[in-house]
């Protein structure tokens, strides 16, 4: 390497959402080598297959480099564009959006995909005044967030994780790759090397599951039954952590069980002096077993019953919540679950025993003194070393919320929440149950020329928090926070296009999509969604009149845009992984990070951040202009340094090096040198909490005060685990007409009453309930390949050699029955559609399941691939057989194919049959689409071969 | 293995050239002892040598197509201590040179009496012929050993490999010699024809022996030893490269088992059965053009034989690259 | 004598392919590069890689094991690929046992690749020379790199640290200890090539539960059984008057 022209720069990877620290070596300005940054807390120097292939993303011929306008007269999807200037693009957008903001802001909808700047995009939407904003969460894993946050105040996903450093037993459920890709791999191998025992519960054995000591194949969508049976067995054998439950959960709290009462199923509350003015008084009751009477929870010296039934002085019949749980799981025996899950009852029993015995007998004790919120001093932090991890295998089902509640409860009864060897939170979690942010709760929240009267996304605590109109009908285009999906805390992006196309609840004018491939892999029912995007009304107007797409590549989605905004790559822009969004925090404290460009933008590419700031300024959105209406921020870096959530709040996007000289963190005045300080520190800011604040944070006085002081949370009240969910019960009561306030529309009463069970229960996924299981006997699921990120990487010359196309993997048994062989072309058909693909036999899949890698299949011509490329000819997209809506049924005609509680897209509910393709059929994937054209501004030509050597291009 | 045409032509063409030279020298040897007599010795030997040279150069030419960097081919002569390929690279030109000298001696009729003894003329060409024969066999050995020395290509790793290269090359050379004799030394047709039949039959015996050996071969490497996992059911699910790689191109013939089988019968018929019939027929009927046909068919057969020779060899690396 | 090598731990390899592309990116611009790619955006894309990760399924459902299997040149102690090379382009270094190809001497005859039973060599279809894993010779001795980074690119990348690097002739090296203590084995030992790279097998952690572990005096259920009787409940006193 020639010394003079070789530079090394630090930034943060974005070949996936994991956000590892990387070191980029440049040779004569070209990227020579990308390695993991050894000094980065997240990846500690390692890097993955995608991260190592960043060069081929940076110099991909699929890159778009110029703002483009759809050629007049051409159709959406045809990808016929003409170049325009950025100024023209801004003028166009400012005029159109300005008009909408002055008339009806909700006619502008902004939806973003797997982006890492929801803090900014969400803020832009709010400032604009539209309620129609969401990111990928609703079609990704909102069940995981909601199910656990509504139970323990934190979750897996990007919010918390398993403490594999100290765990002895690790149970991984429904996880293929996950967001914490590299850290999880680092931890998993260390865990195994330390002799830990690793069990994977998954219909498929690949990736992580491959190295599990035990693989427990399960039928998709049935984990709820397994988890409930595990709870049943754990309680029956007395393997739960009684002490943990009584002190740190609502298990011992007394629930009113007088069926006739309006507050049936709610906790008994007593008001005492001193409670006035408290936002969250600790006014629930226990039944003290020492004095055999009701006492206030956490009364000193009391030891509550967890089981039993008692009568209060006023004659109210009460039960501890734990007794309610025991009643609920009474019939959920291992034998019962065995029939549903396909796992032998004996295996379920031993699994429960393994967990319980390890939790009980291998207790960890760390000599760390801490004090709980009730003033009890503890000489040590203890922990039960059973760790869990779960992701979309649980989340992406329409029964996922209740399943994940069951998981969180299992983890809680084993006493593993925020303790060593168990589940650990990551800042800003734990948060109150539910967290405080709320959406507006009625139409008054949306007004012309005004910011939205609340957050676009929030956490309903009871029916009155729903974002519905007087008739109880939705206000958001995706119908989030309505009675159809009351706790849809991340929105329902997967229904936005269908609803907008149908004009239900209303038509919109402009849809802006950032970093989401909605015309392909991130839509369900892809073929029809493509038609909807291109559909016109009687007047010949597009049903969705204006479509703006900000993308960095020639994706399937870009073809449908009216206006294309070319984004930079991650190596070309500033970015912030903010504490206001989902930072990269570690178990031991908050961490946030940034990207700093290592190469200049290509062509006319402009970071979307800059677009939003420019647009916000032109639209004079209050956050972006001074009182006089003048530009407030020069550009995005300037915005990041100087923006404060409220004037003088000291809270901004970045937590590190705040204050004039960078001496403060979390809160402090803007620091003009903040970027430089991040740059010097490997682009991350890491804060280590004092040891005594690192555990038991839901109840840790010191931590909660610290968190409040640094404005991570509003309150210092304990965050008790909701074994029993009063929040859910309130919705159920509303459905029963017993709750004061908002009432569901008649058609949804039964649905709400059924699914809003305050205790977890098992039901068949909705699609299975509504389909003929004899005709469609199989479950079809997808998995993420470790070497590809959604649809992004087919343009990547190196990664696509690893996954050029995908197969449908299935049990050889199915081939034997269906008369087809390994490698044959088959049809996979659901009640919604069918796809022709190649099958491969596998012994590593539960025989009632078929699966494929996600998003490898591509539309011909997209991503700068030739029309004959494997991705479109042999690769296939399972999304064609998945529907975004359930078949019309009693609860509604156009209900989303989602969890009835959270609106989580039920990707993995689809039921299919598989049969051999006819002998005369082409050996090619079906459906096929007209090959997408190359677009103006795709400056790099795809070559027939190359041998990449950095620095060569610049040599004359 | 993937049968590369450059190598097929290289080995078969030089085989013919070598065989033809051996034929010429055999005739010289016989005539030296007056067992046969060659009327137009000058034309026959020099012409024959020329034809042999044409084949040898043809093979040499084909070999260059096999090289990524033919301009550096000279480097290939350096490792004769260890590499059979290197030895071949040395021996082949040497042989060509000898054949050239041999032909030239005849063409120019330059044949001094080397000793004072009253020996008949042709001592020098005879000595060159002897040297040529030695080098010729060395060349057969080198060529054969290139394949025969790779121990894990078990189909090849047998003395039968160099032996068959020798026999097949010699047989085809004699068949050609018979045809060549038709125009330059008709009196030798029978001589070469009979020897060609005998050599072809002997070659058939050893080639079939090799086939039988390979039919019963037990491969030492298995998927179990390849990845070190003890289980009788191991199936590859991914090769790590879906668009193929050097490893899937270089070591697979890419044809079906049925195709392979038909190729086997084809080469047996074309190399052995038909040529023998044609030779016998030609000799009994005197239709000399059948001699040329016999060679043409046998040469085609040899191409098929060599194709099969490669395709049949199962390289253990294929255990890691089980294409679907 | 030193023999550098990789030891690959199949017990933790999750088949992520990080070692595959990190190798590609380091080497394509390095001294062993370029590593060309054909039809990079077309049908059946294919290119030169020094390292590939394959997947095997062992056994039948439900007792299936999925094995991810990375493989690059094994730097055999007795490398059959070297003596066959007619030009001397293939050689084994005395000082550290690394098997290399000198691109300037190589004539691209592919013969060495035939002589490798492991399929570890790949011809570069454009540069027309034979290529293979170099153990990153241009990293591991580079004094300009920090000590900790003088390791092969694939080793630095591997998220599970399934790739150990060191001198297998030094009995105290990390790799030798791992081979000795974790049951390290060579591939295709039947050919006597003595691969320097070794593989560590899967190891299982099992748990055995004793019956009596399920019944314990401190079983929390016991606490729930204790119930102070209600004073309305009948007592012995209510029925006797002695
Ligand atoms: N390399 C790579 N990494 C990624 C991504 C990527 O595209 N590529 N995407 C990122 C994103 S956006 C997300 S959301 C995460 C998702 O990370 P994961 O949650 O790990 O993602 P999936 O691949 O959907 O894995 C789902 C797993 O659940 C299993 N499964 C399906 N149904 C069931 C079930 O009913 N029960 C059980 N027990 N298992 C089931 C599947 O077999 C599969 O193994 O990954 C992130 N990380
Ligand atoms: N069948 C099935 N479908 C699924 C899933 C599944 O498991 N099975 N998983 C779902 C889940 S969890 C998720 S999160 C979604 C993911 O869905 P999406 O978020 O839509 O994911 P992608 O396909 O990765 O990419 C979106 C777009 O981002 C563009 N892009 C990449 N880098 C940049 C950049 O730097 N700037 C800009 N502006 N654009 C960029 C890409 O070109 C692409 O067009 O998919 C969902 N779809
Ligand atoms: S895990 Fe994601 S962020 Fe980390 S190196 Fe890989 S692609 Fe980059
Ligand atoms: S990088 Fe490590 S874990 Fe990933 S495939 Fe290679 S050896 Fe296995
Ligand atoms: S693995 Fe193959 S290429 Fe590498 S040293 Fe051994 S024989 Fe040679
Ligand atoms: S391809 Fe190159 S290295 Fe291999 S044997 Fe031929 S000359 Fe030697
Ligand atoms: S040691 Fe270097 S050359 Fe060899 S596989 Fe690893 S990265 Fe590639
Ligand atoms: Mo996702």
């Amino acid at each position: 390497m020639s010394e003079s022209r070789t530079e090394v720069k630090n930034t943060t990877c974005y070949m996936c959402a994991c956000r590892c620290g990387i070191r980029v070596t440049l040779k004569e300005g070209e990227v020579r080598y990308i390695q993991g940054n050894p000094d980065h807390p997240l990846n500690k120097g390692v890097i993955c297959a995608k991260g190592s292939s960043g060069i081929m993303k940076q110099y991909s011929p699929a890159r778009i480099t110029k703002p483009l306008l759809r050629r007049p007269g051409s159709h959406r999807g045809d990808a016929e564009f003409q170049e325009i200037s950025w100024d023209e693009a801004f003028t166009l957008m400012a005029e159109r959006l300005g008009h909408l903001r002055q008339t009806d802001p909700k006619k502008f909808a902004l939806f973003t995909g797997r982006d890492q700047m929801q803090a900014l995009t969400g803020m832009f939407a709010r400032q604009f005044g539209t309620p129609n904003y969401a990111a990928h969460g609703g079609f990704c894993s909102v069940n995981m967030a909601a199910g656990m946050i509504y139970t323990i105040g934190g979750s897996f996903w990007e919010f918390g994780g398993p403490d594999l450093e100290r765990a002895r037993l690790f149970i991984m459920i429904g996880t293929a790759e996950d967001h914490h890709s590299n850290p999880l791999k680092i931890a998993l191998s260390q865990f195994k090397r330390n002799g830990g025992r690793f069990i994977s519960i998954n219909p498929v054995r690949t990736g992580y599951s491959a190295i599990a000591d035990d693989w427990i194949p399960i039928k998709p969508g049935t984990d709820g039954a397994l988890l409930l049976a595990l709870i049943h067995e754990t309680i029956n054998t007395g393997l739960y952590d009684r002490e943990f439950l009584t002190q740190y959960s609502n298990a011992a709290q007394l629930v009113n069980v007088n069926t006739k009462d309006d507050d049936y199923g709610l906790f008994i509350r007593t008001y005492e002096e001193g409670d006035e003015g408290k936002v969250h008084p600790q006014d629930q009751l226990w039944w003290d077993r020492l004095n055999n009477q009701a006492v206030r929870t956490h009364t000193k010296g009391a030891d509550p019953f967890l089981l039993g039934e008692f009568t209060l002085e006023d004659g109210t019949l009460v039960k501890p919540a734990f007794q309610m749980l025991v009643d609920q799981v009474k019939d959920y025996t291992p034998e019962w679950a065995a029939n549903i899950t396909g796992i032998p009852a004996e295996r379920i029993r031993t699994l429960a025993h393994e967990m319980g015995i390890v939790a009980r007998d291998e207790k960890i004790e760390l000599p760390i003194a801490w004090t709980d919120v009730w003033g009890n001093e503890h000489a040590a932090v203890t922990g039960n070393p059973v760790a869990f991890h779960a992701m979309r295998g649980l989340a992406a089902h329409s029964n996922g919320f209740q399943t994940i509640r069951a998981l969180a409860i299992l983890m809680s009864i084993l006493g593993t929440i925020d303790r060593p060897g168990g589940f650990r939170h990551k800042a800003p979690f734990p948060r109150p149950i539910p967290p405080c942010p709320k959406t507006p709760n009625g139409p008054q929240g949306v007004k012309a020329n005004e910011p939205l009267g609340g957050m676009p996304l929030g956490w309903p605590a009871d029916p009155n928090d729903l974002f519905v109109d007087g008739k109880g009908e939705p206000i958001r285009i995706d119908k989030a926070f309505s009675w159809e999906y009351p706790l849809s805390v991340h929105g329902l992006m997967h229904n936005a296009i269908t609803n907008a196309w149908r004009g239900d609840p209303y038509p919109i004018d402009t849809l802006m999509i950032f970093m989401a491939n909605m015309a392909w892999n991130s839509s369900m029912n892809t073929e029809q969604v493509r038609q909807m995007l291109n559909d016109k009304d009687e007047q010949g107007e597009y049903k969705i009149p204006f479509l703006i797409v900000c993308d960095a590549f020639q994706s399937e989605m870009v073809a449908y845009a009216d206006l294309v905004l070319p984004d930079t790559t991650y190596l070309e822009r500033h970015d912030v992984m903010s504490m206001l969004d989902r930072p990269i925090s570690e178990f031991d404290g908050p961490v946030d990070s940034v990207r700093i460009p290592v190469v200049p933008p290509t062509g006319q590419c402009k970071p979307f951040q800059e677009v939003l700031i420019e647009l916000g300024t032109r639209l004079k959105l209050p956050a972006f202009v001074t009182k006089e209406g003048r530009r407030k921020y020069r550009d995005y870096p300037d915005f990041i340094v100087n923006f404060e959530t409220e004037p003088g709040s000291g809270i901004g996007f970045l937590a590190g090096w705040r204050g004039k000289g960078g001496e403060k963190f979390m809160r402090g005045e803007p620091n003009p040198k903040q970027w430089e300080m991040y740059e010097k520190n490997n682009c991350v800011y890491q804060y280590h909490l004092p040891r005594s604040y690192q555990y038991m944070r839901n109840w840790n006085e010191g931590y909660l005060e610290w968190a409040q002081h640094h404005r991570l949370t509003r309150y210092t009240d304990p965050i008790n685990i909701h074994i029993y969910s009063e929040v859910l019960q309130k919705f159920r009561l509303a459905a029963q007409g017993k709750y004061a306030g908002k009432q569901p529309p008649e058609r949804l009463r039964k649905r709400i009453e059924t699914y809003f069970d305050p205790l977890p229960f098992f039901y068949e996924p909705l699609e299975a309930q509504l389909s003929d299981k004899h005709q469609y006997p199989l479950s079809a699921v997808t998995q993420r390949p470790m070497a590809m990120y959604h649809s992004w990487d087919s343009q990547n010359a190196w990664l696509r050699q690893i996954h050029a196309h995908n197969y449908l993997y299935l049990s050889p048994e199915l081939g034997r029955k269906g008369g087809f062989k390994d490698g044959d072309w088959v049809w996979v058909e659901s009640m919604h559609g069918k796809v022709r693909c190649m099958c491969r036999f596998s012994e590593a899949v539960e025989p009632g399941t078929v699966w494929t890698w996600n998003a490898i299949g591509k539309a011909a011509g997209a991503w700068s691939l030739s029309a004959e490329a494997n991705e479109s000819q042999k690769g296939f997209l399972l999304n064609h057989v998945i529907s975004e809506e359930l078949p019309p049924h009693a609860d509604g005609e156009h209900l989303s194919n989602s969890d009835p509680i959270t609106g989580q897209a039920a990707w993995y509910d689809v039921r299919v049959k598989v049969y051999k393709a006819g002998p005369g059929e082409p050996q090619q994937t079906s459906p096929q689409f007209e090959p997408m054209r190359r677009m103006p501004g795709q400056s790099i030509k795809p070559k027939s071969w190359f041998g990449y050597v950095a620095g060569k291009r610049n040599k004359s | 293995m993937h049968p590369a045409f450059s190598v097929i032509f290289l080995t078969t063409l030089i085989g013919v050239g070598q065989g033809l030279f051996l034929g010429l020298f055999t005739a010289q040897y016989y005539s030296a002892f007056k067992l046969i007599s060659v009327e137009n010795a000058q034309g026959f030997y020099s012409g024959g040598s020329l034809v042999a040279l044409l084949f040898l150069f043809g093979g040499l030419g084909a070999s260059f197509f096999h090289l990524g960097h033919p301009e550096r081919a000279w480097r290939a002569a350096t490792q004769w201590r260890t590499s059979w390929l290197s030895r071949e690279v040395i021996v082949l030109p040497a042989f060509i040179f000898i054949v050239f000298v041999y032909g030239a001696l005849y063409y120019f009729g330059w044949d001094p009496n080397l000793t004072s003894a009253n020996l008949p003329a042709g001592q020098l060409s005879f000595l060159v012929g002897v040297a040529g024969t030695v080098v010729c066999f060395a060349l057969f050995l080198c060529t054969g050993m290139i394949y025969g020395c790779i121990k894990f290509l078990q189909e090849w790793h047998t003395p039968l490999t160099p032996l068959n290269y020798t026999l097949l090359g010699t047989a085809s050379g004699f068949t050609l010699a018979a045809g060549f004799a038709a125009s330059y030394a008709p009196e030798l047709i029978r001589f070469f024809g009979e020897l060609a039949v005998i050599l072809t039959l002997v070659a058939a015996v050893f080639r079939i022996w090799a086939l039988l050996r390979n039919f019963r071969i037990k491969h030492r490497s298995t998927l179990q030893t390849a990845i070190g996992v003890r289980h009788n059911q191991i199936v590859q699910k991914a090769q790590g490269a879906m668009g193929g790689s050097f490893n899937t191109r270089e070591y697979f013939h890419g044809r079906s088992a049925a195709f392979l089988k038909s190729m086997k019968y084809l080469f047996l018929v074309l190399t052995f059965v038909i040529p023998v019939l044609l030779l016998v027929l030609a000799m009994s009927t005197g239709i000399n053009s059948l001699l040329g046909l016999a060679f043409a068919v046998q040469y085609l057969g040899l191409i098929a034989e060599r194709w099969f020779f490669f395709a049949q060899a199962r390289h253990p690396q294929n255990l890691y690259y089980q294409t679907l | 004598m030193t023999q550098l090598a990789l030891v690959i731990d199949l017990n933790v390899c999750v088949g992520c392919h990080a070692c595959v592309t990190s190798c590609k990116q380091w080497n394509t611009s390095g001294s062993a590069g370029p590593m060309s790619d054909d039809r990079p955006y077309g049908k059946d894309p294919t290119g030169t890689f020094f390292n590939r990760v394959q997947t095997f399924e062992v056994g039948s459902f439900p007792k299936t094991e999925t094995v991810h299997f990375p493989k690059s040149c094994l730097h055999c102690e007795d490398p059959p690929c070297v003596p066959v090379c007619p030009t001397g382009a293939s050689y084994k270094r005395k000082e550290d046992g690394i098997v290399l190809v000198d691109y300037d001497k190589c004539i691209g005859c592919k013969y060495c690749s035939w002589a490798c039973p492991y399929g570890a060599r790949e011809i570069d279809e454009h540069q027309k020379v034979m290529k293979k894993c170099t153990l990153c010779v241009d990293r591991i001795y580079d004094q300009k790199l920090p000590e900790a980074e003088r390791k092969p690119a694939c080793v630095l990348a591997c998220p599970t640290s399934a790739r150990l690097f060191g001198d297998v002739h030094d009995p105290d090296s990390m790799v030798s200890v791992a081979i000795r203590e974790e049951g390290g084995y060579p591939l295709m030992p039947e050919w006597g090539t003595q691969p320097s790279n070794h593989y560590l097998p899967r190891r299982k952690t099992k748990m055995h539960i004793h019956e009596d572990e399920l019944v314990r005096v401190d079983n929390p259920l016991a606490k729930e059984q204790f119930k102070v009787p209600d004073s309305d409940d009948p007592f012995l006193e209510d029925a006797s008057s002695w």
Side-chain angles (χ1 to χ4, degrees), chain A residues 114 298 332 570 740 912:
Chain A
R114 242 316 350 178
H298 293 278
Y332 292 144
Y570 69 109
V912 299

Side-chain angles (χ1 to χ4, degrees), chain B residues 101-154:
Chain B
V101 171
Y102 185 76
L105 288 180
Y106 273 102
Y107 185 76
F108 295 109
W110 194 62
D111 211 346
N113 197 341
L114 296 178
T115 55
S116 49
N118 197 11
L119 287 171
Q123 293 166 27
L124 183 60
S125 63
F126 192 82
L127 282 182
V128 172
V130 170
T133 305
V134 171
V135 174
C136 180
F137 280 110
L139 182 55
F140 274 130
L141 183 70
C142 290
T143 314
M145 281 311 285
I146 288 175
Y147 307 94
C149 78
I150 304 176
K151 58 186 166 193
F152 34 78
L153 272 162
Q154 285 173 264

Side-chain angles (χ1 to χ4, degrees), chain A residues 686-742:
Chain A
Q686 178 168 26
Y687 180 82
H688 300 277
L689 288 164
R691 292 251 286 164
S692 61
Y693 295 0
Q694 288 181 10
Y695 297 93
M696 301 295 281
R697 277 164 287 194
N698 296 46
W699 318 276
N700 185 323
E701 186 177 44
Y703 170 76
L704 288 168
E705 280 169 6
W706 178 90
Q708 186 188 46
H709 178 77
H710 290 101
R711 296 294 191 268
L712 252 54
T713 50
R714 192 175 292 271
Y715 308 112
T716 56
D717 296 301
I719 304 164
N720 283 334
I721 294 168
H722 286 204
I723 300 288
Y724 181 89
S725 173
E726 221 180 21
V727 175
L728 297 182
Q729 178 64 9
K730 287 177 184 167
F731 281 87
R732 180 177 259 187
L733 287 174
Q736 293 166 340
K738 290 181 176 173
Y739 194 77
K742 290 181 182 169

Side-chain angles (χ1 to χ4, degrees), chain A residues 114 136 139-141 157 179 392 784 790:
Chain A
R114 242 316 350 178
H136 65 281
F139 62 44
C140 180
S141 316
W157 201 352
H179 297 82
R392 296 187 64 255
R784 275 138 180 69
H790 298 286

Side-chain angles (χ1 to χ4, degrees), chain A residues 16-17 48 50 114 136 140-141 157 172-181 185 201-204 206 208-209 216 218-223 390-394 396-397 781-791 851 854 908:
Chain A
C16 92
C48 79
K50 296 159 280 147
R114 242 316 350 178
H136 65 281
C140 180
S141 316
W157 201 352
M172 178 178 265
I173 315 177
T175 309
E177 168 67 337
D178 201 4
H179 297 82
H180 221 42
S181 312
K185 292 185 187 94
I201 303 173
N202 198 312
V204 188
T206 54
Y208 302 148
S209 301
I216 304 185
I218 188 169
K219 287 192 202 310
T222 68
D223 302 73
M391 266 305 286
R392 296 187 64 255
L394 295 192
H397 291 286
V781 302
T782 60
Q783 297 200 93
R784 275 138 180 69
M786 290 182 178
M788 284 268 176
Y789 198 67
H790 298 286
S791 60
W851 73 273
N854 184 43
Y908 298 164

Side-chain angles (χ1 to χ4, degrees), chain A residues 57-77:
Chain A
K57 179 175 205 160
Q58 180 63 22
Y59 304 115
S60 163
R63 290 200 57 184
I64 50 178
T65 62
K66 288 180 174 156
L68 301 171
L69 196 63
R70 185 164 56 81
R71 213 174 264 292
S74 73
H75 294 288
R76 284 191 189 154

Side-chain angles (χ1 to χ4, degrees), chain C residues 105-178:
Chain C
K105 286 189 186 158
C106 176
I107 54 172
C109 67
K110 306 182 194 167
Y111 191 36
C112 52
S113 76
W114 294 7
C116 167
Y118 306 103
R121 295 177 163 241
E122 301 195 8
I123 192 106
D124 186 299
E125 310 277 6
H126 298 281
Q127 213 177 340
K128 306 273 189 213
V129 293
M130 192 52 73
K131 300 192 170 175
K132 60 179 280 300
C133 161
T134 65
L135 265 188
C136 289
V137 269
D138 52 354
R139 278 195 76 82
I140 58 178
Y141 297 112
D142 188 346
Q143 299 299 318
K144 289 184 298 255
L145 293 175
E147 172 101 49
E149 286 180 32
R150 285 178 221 155
K151 284 185 188 158
C154 59
V155 172
L156 291 172
C158 178
T160 64
S161 50
R163 306 174 75 84
L164 315 177
F165 169 69
D167 176 8
V168 288
H169 282 180
D170 170 3
D172 297 325
S173 69
M174 195 216 315
V175 281
S176 295
V177 173

